[in-house]
Amino acid sequence: MGFTISKAVIPAAGLGTRFLPATKAIPKEMLAVVDKPAIQYVVEEAVAAGLTDVLMITGRNKNALENHFDHVSELEETLRKKGDHEKLAKVNQSTDLADMHYVRQGDPLGLGHAVLRASMHVGREPFAVLLGDDIIDARDPLLSRMIEVQGKKNASVVALLEVPDNMTHLYGVATVEATDEDDVVKITGLVEKPPQGEAPSNLAIIGRYVLRPEVFDVLEKQAPGKGGEIQLTDALEKMAAADEWTGGVYGVVFRGRRYDTGDKLDYIKAIIQLASDREDLGEDLKAWILEFASGLEK
Ligand code: UTP
């Protein structure tokens, strides 16, 4: 108890193979969702929850990520000379957002391996992990609630989403016990991507975690699991089973809007949903969608 969480770790070193060839030379986290790369939504979410120290775990295409959160003098100078303050503000939006740090993962050996690369920077304090391809709608705050639960329980906390039966095989799935809070469950077991029909529940882990530093001790010894990757889910399963020294693992059940931008169909839906709510685009887009949809029914 007693730690104020200030560090966010954002793993963005995956190969993004589902999005090839778009992700051949740029990370999938740089794909635009309306007019901002997915990763900027995620950093903005961390900052909104009070986490201003952001460590990004990057891979072979790290330059685009680093450049996005840095100054781009030529462009800024050109816009300044033109007096285009509106566009200048957009360029600078991502520059002064947070205190950004980067570490390379080397080989992409799995999400658990990526998180372990953060151990030097994080030290022995609780920290948040936000997956760079999951967007949580800013109107439905999740991370601040998870940080609150972490503080109260002095445990590790994952975000859970209720998914249909035919989707459980795509996620880490939890076995849970109820607590006295409606949106909080105690996790007693976890399984990564269970075969269809074998999931212990419909509660799937989505890309937000608030973890105690003991996760690093577990990850150091973690053998490769599903897909030959070092899985964060496997480390969390061990932490759930050893709650006397890890504090255990709790889940916050999220009932808000979430967009998985690592999946092609969900990525397209995310753009449409977020753009429909925008003041500058919403009205025209919705009118077009209605016209387009009526054409589909014919
Ligand atoms: P995913 O499995 O969704 O990412 O990992 P991926 O491997 O890039 O995607 P596909 O399946 O090939 O399209 C979830 C998150 O973990 C990160 C990814 O960048 C993503 O944010 N990750 C995954 C790493 O940082 N390192 C890894 O070794 C694996």
CSV table of all heavy atoms in Angstrom, one decimal, residues 11-19 28-29 57 105 107-111 113-114 131-133 193 229 262, ligand 1:
chain,number,residue,atom,x,y,z
A,11,PRO,N,3.5,-2.0,-24.3
A,11,PRO,CA,4.1,-2.9,-25.3
A,11,PRO,C,3.6,-2.7,-26.7
A,11,PRO,O,2.4,-2.7,-26.9
A,11,PRO,CB,3.7,-4.3,-24.8
A,11,PRO,CG,3.1,-4.1,-23.4
A,11,PRO,CD,2.5,-2.7,-23.5
A,12,ALA,N,4.6,-2.4,-27.6
A,12,ALA,CA,4.2,-2.1,-29.0
A,12,ALA,C,5.3,-2.7,-29.9
A,12,ALA,O,5.7,-2.1,-30.9
A,12,ALA,CB,4.1,-0.6,-29.2
A,13,ALA,N,5.7,-3.9,-29.5
A,13,ALA,CA,6.8,-4.6,-30.3
A,13,ALA,C,6.3,-5.8,-31.0
A,13,ALA,O,7.1,-6.5,-31.6
A,13,ALA,CB,7.9,-5.0,-29.3
A,14,GLY,N,5.0,-6.1,-31.0
A,14,GLY,CA,4.5,-7.2,-31.8
A,14,GLY,C,4.7,-7.0,-33.3
A,14,GLY,O,4.9,-5.9,-33.8
A,15,LEU,N,4.5,-8.1,-34.0
A,15,LEU,CA,4.8,-8.1,-35.5
A,15,LEU,C,3.6,-7.6,-36.2
A,15,LEU,O,3.7,-7.1,-37.4
A,15,LEU,CB,5.2,-9.4,-36.0
A,15,LEU,CG,6.6,-9.9,-35.4
A,15,LEU,CD1,6.9,-11.3,-35.9
A,15,LEU,CD2,7.7,-9.0,-35.7
A,16,GLY,N,2.4,-7.6,-35.6
A,16,GLY,CA,1.2,-7.1,-36.3
A,16,GLY,C,0.9,-7.8,-37.6
A,16,GLY,O,0.5,-7.2,-38.6
A,17,THR,N,1.0,-9.1,-37.6
A,17,THR,CA,0.9,-9.9,-38.9
A,17,THR,C,-0.5,-9.9,-39.4
A,17,THR,O,-0.6,-10.1,-40.6
A,17,THR,CB,1.4,-11.4,-38.7
A,17,THR,OG1,0.6,-11.9,-37.6
A,17,THR,CG2,2.8,-11.5,-38.3
A,18,ARG,N,-1.5,-9.6,-38.6
A,18,ARG,CA,-2.9,-9.6,-39.1
A,18,ARG,C,-3.1,-8.4,-40.0
A,18,ARG,O,-4.1,-8.4,-40.7
A,18,ARG,CB,-3.9,-9.6,-37.9
A,18,ARG,CG,-4.1,-11.0,-37.3
A,18,ARG,CD,-4.8,-10.9,-36.0
A,18,ARG,NE,-4.1,-10.2,-34.9
A,18,ARG,CZ,-4.6,-9.7,-33.8
A,18,ARG,NH1,-5.9,-9.9,-33.6
A,18,ARG,NH2,-3.9,-9.2,-32.9
A,19,PHE,N,-2.2,-7.5,-39.9
A,19,PHE,CA,-2.4,-6.2,-40.7
A,19,PHE,C,-1.4,-6.1,-41.9
A,19,PHE,O,-1.3,-5.0,-42.5
A,19,PHE,CB,-2.3,-5.0,-39.8
A,19,PHE,CG,-3.6,-4.5,-39.5
A,19,PHE,CD1,-4.2,-4.7,-38.2
A,19,PHE,CD2,-4.4,-3.7,-40.4
A,19,PHE,CE1,-5.4,-4.2,-37.9
A,19,PHE,CE2,-5.6,-3.2,-40.1
A,19,PHE,CZ,-6.2,-3.5,-38.8
A,28,LYS,N,1.7,-1.6,-36.1
A,28,LYS,CA,0.3,-1.5,-36.2
A,28,LYS,C,-0.3,-0.4,-35.3
A,28,LYS,O,-1.3,0.2,-35.6
A,28,LYS,CB,-0.4,-2.8,-35.9
A,28,LYS,CG,-0.3,-3.3,-34.5
A,28,LYS,CD,-1.1,-4.5,-34.3
A,28,LYS,CE,-0.7,-5.2,-33.0
A,28,LYS,NZ,-1.3,-6.4,-32.7
A,29,GLU,N,0.4,-0.1,-34.2
A,29,GLU,CA,0.0,1.0,-33.3
A,29,GLU,C,0.0,2.4,-34.0
A,29,GLU,O,-0.5,3.3,-33.4
A,29,GLU,CB,0.9,1.0,-32.1
A,29,GLU,CG,0.7,-0.3,-31.2
A,29,GLU,CD,1.4,-1.5,-31.6
A,29,GLU,OE1,2.2,-1.4,-32.6
A,29,GLU,OE2,1.3,-2.5,-30.9
A,57,ILE,N,7.6,-0.2,-25.1
A,57,ILE,CA,8.4,-1.4,-25.5
A,57,ILE,C,8.3,-1.5,-27.0
A,57,ILE,O,7.2,-1.7,-27.5
A,57,ILE,CB,8.0,-2.7,-24.9
A,57,ILE,CG1,7.6,-2.5,-23.4
A,57,ILE,CG2,9.0,-3.8,-25.1
A,57,ILE,CD1,8.8,-2.2,-22.5
A,105,GLN,N,12.5,-4.5,-27.4
A,105,GLN,CA,12.3,-5.8,-26.9
A,105,GLN,C,13.4,-6.8,-27.4
A,105,GLN,O,13.6,-7.8,-26.8
A,105,GLN,CB,10.9,-6.3,-27.2
A,105,GLN,CG,10.6,-7.6,-26.6
A,105,GLN,CD,9.2,-8.2,-27.0
A,105,GLN,OE1,8.5,-7.6,-27.8
A,105,GLN,NE2,8.9,-9.3,-26.5
A,107,ASP,N,14.0,-9.7,-29.7
A,107,ASP,CA,13.1,-10.6,-30.4
A,107,ASP,C,11.7,-10.6,-29.8
A,107,ASP,O,11.6,-10.5,-28.5
A,107,ASP,CB,13.6,-12.1,-30.3
A,107,ASP,CG,14.9,-12.3,-31.1
A,107,ASP,OD1,15.0,-11.6,-32.2
A,107,ASP,OD2,15.8,-13.0,-30.7
A,108,PRO,N,10.6,-10.5,-30.6
A,108,PRO,CA,9.3,-10.5,-30.0
A,108,PRO,C,8.9,-11.9,-29.5
A,108,PRO,O,8.2,-12.7,-30.2
A,108,PRO,CB,8.4,-10.1,-31.2
A,108,PRO,CG,9.2,-10.5,-32.4
A,108,PRO,CD,10.6,-10.5,-32.1
A,109,LEU,N,9.3,-12.2,-28.2
A,109,LEU,CA,9.1,-13.5,-27.7
A,109,LEU,C,7.8,-13.7,-26.9
A,109,LEU,O,7.6,-14.6,-26.2
A,109,LEU,CB,10.3,-13.9,-26.8
A,109,LEU,CG,11.7,-13.9,-27.4
A,109,LEU,CD1,12.8,-14.3,-26.4
A,109,LEU,CD2,11.7,-14.9,-28.6
A,110,GLY,N,7.0,-12.6,-27.0
A,110,GLY,CA,5.7,-12.7,-26.3
A,110,GLY,C,5.4,-11.5,-25.4
A,110,GLY,O,6.4,-10.8,-25.1
A,111,LEU,N,4.1,-11.3,-25.1
A,111,LEU,CA,3.8,-10.1,-24.3
A,111,LEU,C,4.5,-10.2,-22.9
A,111,LEU,O,4.9,-9.1,-22.4
A,111,LEU,CB,2.2,-10.1,-24.1
A,111,LEU,CG,1.7,-9.0,-23.2
A,111,LEU,CD1,2.1,-7.6,-23.8
A,111,LEU,CD2,0.1,-9.1,-23.2
A,113,HIS,N,7.3,-11.4,-22.1
A,113,HIS,CA,8.7,-11.0,-22.4
A,113,HIS,C,8.9,-9.5,-22.6
A,113,HIS,O,9.8,-8.9,-22.1
A,113,HIS,CB,9.2,-11.8,-23.6
A,113,HIS,CG,10.7,-11.5,-24.0
A,113,HIS,ND1,11.0,-10.7,-25.0
A,113,HIS,CD2,11.8,-12.0,-23.4
A,113,HIS,CE1,12.3,-10.7,-25.1
A,113,HIS,NE2,12.9,-11.4,-24.2
A,114,ALA,N,7.9,-8.9,-23.3
A,114,ALA,CA,7.9,-7.5,-23.5
A,114,ALA,C,7.8,-6.7,-22.2
A,114,ALA,O,8.5,-5.8,-21.9
A,114,ALA,CB,6.8,-7.1,-24.5
A,131,LEU,N,-2.0,-2.1,-23.6
A,131,LEU,CA,-1.7,-2.6,-24.9
A,131,LEU,C,-2.0,-1.6,-25.9
A,131,LEU,O,-3.0,-1.0,-26.0
A,131,LEU,CB,-2.4,-3.9,-25.2
A,131,LEU,CG,-2.1,-5.1,-24.2
A,131,LEU,CD1,-2.5,-6.4,-24.9
A,131,LEU,CD2,-0.6,-5.2,-23.9
A,132,GLY,N,-1.0,-1.4,-26.8
A,132,GLY,CA,-1.0,-0.3,-27.8
A,132,GLY,C,-2.0,-0.5,-28.9
A,132,GLY,O,-2.3,0.4,-29.6
A,133,ASP,N,-2.7,-1.7,-29.0
A,133,ASP,CA,-3.7,-1.9,-30.0
A,133,ASP,C,-5.1,-2.0,-29.5
A,133,ASP,O,-6.0,-2.3,-30.2
A,133,ASP,CB,-3.3,-3.1,-30.9
A,133,ASP,CG,-3.1,-4.4,-30.1
A,133,ASP,OD1,-3.3,-4.3,-28.9
A,133,ASP,OD2,-2.8,-5.4,-30.7
A,193,LYS,N,-6.1,-18.3,-24.3
A,193,LYS,CA,-6.7,-18.8,-25.6
A,193,LYS,C,-7.2,-20.3,-25.5
A,193,LYS,O,-6.6,-21.2,-26.1
A,193,LYS,CB,-5.7,-18.7,-26.8
A,193,LYS,CG,-5.4,-17.2,-27.0
A,193,LYS,CD,-4.6,-17.0,-28.3
A,193,LYS,CE,-4.4,-15.6,-28.7
A,193,LYS,NZ,-3.3,-14.9,-27.9
A,229,GLU,N,5.2,-18.5,-27.1
A,229,GLU,CA,5.5,-17.2,-26.5
A,229,GLU,C,5.5,-17.1,-25.0
A,229,GLU,O,4.7,-17.9,-24.4
A,229,GLU,CB,4.4,-16.2,-27.1
A,229,GLU,CG,4.5,-16.0,-28.6
A,229,GLU,CD,3.7,-14.8,-29.1
A,229,GLU,OE1,2.9,-14.3,-28.3
A,229,GLU,OE2,3.8,-14.5,-30.2
A,262,GLY,N,-6.2,-4.1,-33.3
A,262,GLY,CA,-5.3,-5.1,-33.9
A,262,GLY,C,-6.0,-6.1,-34.8
A,262,GLY,O,-5.4,-6.9,-35.5
B,1,UTP,P1,-0.8,-9.3,-30.3
B,1,UTP,O1,-0.6,-10.8,-30.3
B,1,UTP,O2,-2.1,-8.7,-30.5
B,1,UTP,O3,0.2,-8.6,-31.3
B,1,UTP,O4,-0.1,-8.8,-28.9
B,1,UTP,P2,0.9,-9.0,-32.6
B,1,UTP,O5,1.7,-10.3,-32.4
B,1,UTP,O6,1.7,-7.8,-33.0
B,1,UTP,O7,-0.3,-9.2,-33.6
B,1,UTP,P3,-0.5,-10.2,-34.8
B,1,UTP,O8,-1.4,-11.3,-34.2
B,1,UTP,O9,0.8,-10.7,-35.4
B,1,UTP,O10,-1.3,-9.4,-35.8
B,1,UTP,C1,-0.7,-7.9,-28.0
B,1,UTP,C2,0.2,-6.7,-27.7
B,1,UTP,O11,1.4,-7.1,-27.2
B,1,UTP,C3,2.5,-6.6,-27.9
B,1,UTP,C4,1.9,-6.2,-29.3
B,1,UTP,O12,2.6,-5.1,-29.8
B,1,UTP,C5,0.5,-5.8,-28.9
B,1,UTP,O13,0.4,-4.5,-28.4
B,1,UTP,N1,3.6,-7.6,-28.1
B,1,UTP,C6,3.3,-8.8,-28.4
B,1,UTP,C7,4.9,-7.2,-27.8
B,1,UTP,O14,5.1,-6.0,-27.5
B,1,UTP,N2,5.9,-8.1,-27.9
B,1,UTP,C8,5.6,-9.4,-28.3
B,1,UTP,O15,6.6,-10.2,-28.3
B,1,UTP,C9,4.3,-9.8,-28.5
